[in-house]
Amino acid sequence: MGLFGGIAGAKAMNSGSYVRPGHYLARIDNVKVATNRKNGQYVAIEMPCLHAYPDGEKPADGSPGHRPGEAMS
């Protein structure tokens, strides 16, 4: 099985600034592959929000979408 094998069943970790629902323009600054505490591999894509379009989906929990300059991963 390759690095992305089983990705369909993967769950997000509970840390970081995950991409919330919305319509964004972002720039990919870094892609890293690392090993977690359970010796499983994960991929993290680090990117800043460059623009938030007003027509994007809003987060269901009422939290705000990302603002320009905010880090997303």
Side-chain angles (χ1 to χ4, degrees):
M1 181 179 332
L3 174 62
F4 297 105
I7 198 167
K11 295 180 181 177
M13 295 168 35
N14 291 326
S15 62
S17 181
Y18 293 106
V19 179
R20 294 186 291 275
H23 183 186
Y24 307 108
L25 174 65
R27 178 186 67 234
I28 296 174
D29 284 345
N30 192 21
V31 177
K32 61 183 177 181
V33 177
T35 303
N36 64 19
R37 287 178 269 169
K38 296 181 181 179
N39 290 322
Q41 288 187 317
Y42 69 92
V43 175
I45 301 170
E46 299 171 351
M47 55 193 162
C49 175
L50 301 177
H51 182 76
Y53 294 95
D55 64 342
E57 178 184 352
K58 305 298 182 224
D61 64 0
S63 63
H66 293 282
R67 294 187 176 120
E70 186 176 353
M72 304 185 297
S73 61

